[in-house]
């Protein structure tokens, strides 16, 4: 909550990037036993983007980061902290955030990844906001990026129709009081982690001939369990975070939910009593892009002029962990304007 004398931090610019290659439902019909009708009616997804061979999370992160810098009218060397949320880093280490730092031509500033599945963008916003508030940092680059196509089993119809690749970026810095991030709720339920995981490739089950033959490097998901969790947690966390921000649900102007499934979004809207028209949806064009999803949607909302100064936004996500994140932001459209601080 904004308190007199307390600095406010918000978003100064946004950017996003998706690969050019479009994978349509019609093409998936030729790959697995599915249909456009099933996919659209069960998920709302019509197409998704797939990264070309040789590109990686850092490639898309870099494009999104450059777009966010341009939107914020900042030079890369004005950034002093980089956070990357991803479950598909370029490699286990170094962190994709460090690779991005190098691509941006930056040195020395801290750069690290965090893993919170599809809630990653909200987690990263929260960590960045805390570091800006408490540390010597002035401007943070937050990127949510995932190339889920790299870990999707295109022989498993229950998952391969859902996922796509993308990146969303935001630059955080000080904004005038009364604007910016008003409240954040993060949470996790580790006991539910087994319903959405990539079983092999880590220290528990390192890559081996058997792990590859058993297709254990691909996403395994119990979809209906995730569905129920998602609807419940979007409802509960949105209510809690809006109350924490000192607002009523009726004062929310736009909800930017994690883009997983239009049925999840409709069910959550119903429970919250917030009209569906107030939910930003682009899952039809990109599918579920995991940690990129909310940043990508936020950037599209920003660029299409839907974010008016003073508008109350709720960013709400859920994902592997199981995790969730909900953030209330009062939109500051003035960009970098030190005179207004
Ligand atoms: O970002 C967080 C990660 N994940 C999610 O957010 C996903 C959350 N879950 C979901 O979105 C939904 O659970 C799904 C879209 C994954 C599945 O929808 P559902 O309504 O929960 O379907 P279901 O899993 O209960 O499957 C219903 C039927 C099954 O057939 P039977 O057993 O009833 O004969 C499936 O085999 O649909 C079948 N099915 C398909 N049919 C055609 C599953 N996938 C497909 C498919 N095409 N692609």
């Amino acid at each position: 909550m904004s308190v007199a004398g307390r600095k406010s931090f918000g978003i100064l610019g946004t950017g996003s990037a998706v690969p050019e290659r479009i994978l349509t439902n019609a093409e998936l019909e030729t790959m697995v036993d599915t249909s456009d009708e099933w996919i659209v009616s069960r998920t709302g997804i019509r197409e998704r983007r797939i990264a070309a061979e040789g590109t990686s999370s850092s490639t898309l992160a870099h494009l999104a980061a450059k777009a966010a810098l341009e939107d914020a009218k900042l030079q890369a060397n004005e950034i002093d902290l980089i956070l990357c949320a991803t479950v598909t880093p370029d490699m286990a280490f170094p962190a994709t955030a460090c690779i991005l730092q190098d691509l941006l031509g930056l040195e020395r500033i801290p750069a690290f990844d965090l893993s919170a599945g599809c809630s990653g963008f909200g987690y990263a916003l929260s960590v960045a906001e805390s570091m800006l508030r408490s540390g010597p940092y002035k401007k943070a680059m937050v990127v949510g990026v995932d190339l889920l196509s790299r870990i999707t089993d295109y022989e498993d119809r229950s998952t391969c129709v859902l996922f796509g690749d993308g990146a969303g970026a935001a630059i955080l810095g000080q904004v005038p009081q009364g604007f910016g991030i008003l409240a954040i709720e993060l949470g996790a339920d580790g006991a539910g982690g087994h319903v959405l995981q990539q079983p092999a490739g880590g220290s528990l089950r390192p890559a081996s001939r058997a792990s590859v033959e058993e297709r254990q490097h691909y996403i395994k998901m119990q979809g209906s369990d995730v569905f129920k969790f998602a609807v419940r947690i979007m409802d509960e966390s949105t209510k809690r975070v809006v109350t924490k921000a000192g607002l009523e649900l009726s004062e929310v102007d736009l909800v930017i939910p994690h883009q997983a499934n239009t049925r999840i979004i409709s069910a959550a809207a119903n429970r919250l009593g917030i009209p569906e028209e107030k939910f930003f949806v682009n899952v039809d064009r990109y599918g579920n892009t995991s940690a990129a999803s909310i940043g990508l949607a936020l950037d599209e909302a920003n660029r299409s002029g839907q974010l008016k100064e003073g508008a109350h936004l709720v960013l709400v996500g859920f994902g592997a962990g199981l995790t969730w994140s909900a953030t209330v932001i009062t939109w500051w459209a003035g960009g970098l304007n030190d005179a207004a601080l």
Side-chain angles (χ1 to χ4, degrees):
M1 206 183 304
S2 158
V3 176
R6 193 173 145 93
K7 286 182 180 174
S8 298
F9 296 93
I11 292 175
L12 303 175
T14 63
S16 61
V18 292
E20 276 176 25
R21 156 101 166 92
I22 295 174
L23 175 61
T24 62
N25 290 350
E27 202 173 340
L28 281 163
E29 284 177 353
T30 69
M31 296 160 63
V32 288
D33 180 15
T34 191
S35 65
D36 176 57
E37 193 282 326
W38 191 96
I39 302 170
V40 173
S41 64
R42 295 293 181 118
T43 72
I45 301 167
R46 294 182 184 276
E47 57 187 44
R48 64 293 286 143
R49 300 299 181 99
I50 306 295
E53 216 177 296
T55 54
S56 63
S57 288
S58 66
T59 321
L60 290 188
H62 186 209
L63 291 170
K66 284 195 295 186
L69 284 168
E70 201 174 306
D71 187 44
K73 300 183 178 57
L74 284 171
Q75 299 300 316
N77 62 12
E78 294 176 85
I79 297 297
D80 42 24
L81 172 67
I82 300 177
L83 263 87
C84 218
T86 185
V87 295
T88 53
D90 281 23
M91 53 191 89
F93 59 87
T96 298
C98 295
I99 299 170
L100 174 60
Q101 183 213 47
D102 186 42
L103 288 169
L104 289 169
L106 301 176
E107 294 169 357
R108 294 193 54 210
I109 62 166
F112 61 98
D113 288 358
L114 65 80
S115 166
C118 308
S119 316
F121 191 78
Y123 265 68
L125 281 183
S126 175
V127 173
E129 198 251 3
S130 302
M131 290 181 75
L132 291 177
R133 189 172 292 292
S134 63
Y137 313 106
K138 299 264 182 266
K139 290 181 189 72
M141 171 72 75
V142 168
V143 184
V145 57
D146 268 313
L147 267 56
L148 285 191
S149 68
R150 301 296 197 252
I151 57 167
T152 294
D153 185 349
Y154 288 97
E155 292 184 11
D156 174 7
R157 70 173 184 173
S158 72
T159 54
C160 75
V161 301
L162 304 174
F163 303 120
D165 301 338
I171 296 173
L172 257 67
Q174 199 178 342
V175 295
Q177 268 204 355
F179 293 93
I181 295 174
L182 300 192
I184 300 181
E185 162 162 319
L186 304 180
D189 174 11
H194 61 281
V195 304
L196 178 51
Q197 58 181 5
Q198 181 190 14
S203 59
L204 178 65
R205 192 148 188 222
S208 66
R209 184 184 294 266
S211 70
V212 172
E213 281 170 3
E214 290 162 20
R215 309 182 83 75
Q216 294 297 304
H217 294 269
Y218 292 126
I219 298 168
K220 307 288 175 195
M221 182 173 73
Q222 293 166 31
S224 61
D225 291 334
V226 180
F227 192 107
K228 284 178 228 152
F229 163 74
V231 173
R232 175 175 63 77
I233 211 66
M234 279 179 70
D235 173 37
E236 293 175 2
S237 63
T238 300
K239 283 177 181 154
R240 281 195 295 262
V241 81
V242 167
T243 303
K244 220 195 269 189
L247 298 173
E248 302 288 334
L249 287 172
S250 58
E251 294 176 273
V252 172
D253 297 297
L254 187 69
V255 181
I256 302 192
H258 169 45
Q259 307 287 315
N261 184 323
T262 46
R263 285 193 297 139
I264 292 176
I265 295 172
S266 302
N270 237 333
R271 281 193 184 209
L272 286 162
I274 298 177
E276 268 192 64
E277 308 80 72
K278 289 191 176 182
F279 283 70
F280 188 89
V281 175
N282 64 8
V283 69
D284 51 322
R285 287 176 289 126
Y286 302 121
N288 179 344
T289 57
S290 185
S293 136
I294 291 178
L296 176 54
L298 179 71
D299 184 50
E300 286 205 337
N302 185 20
R303 281 166 201 270
S304 63
Q306 290 183 55
L307 306 184
K308 305 286 181 226
E309 186 152 298
H312 299 306
L313 315 183
V314 174
L315 277 45
V316 57
F318 55 86
L322 295 168
T323 54
W324 65 91
S325 64
T327 309
V328 177
I329 297 175
T330 299
W331 192 250
W332 166 246
L336 196 63
N337 181 359
D338 291 333
L341 301 178

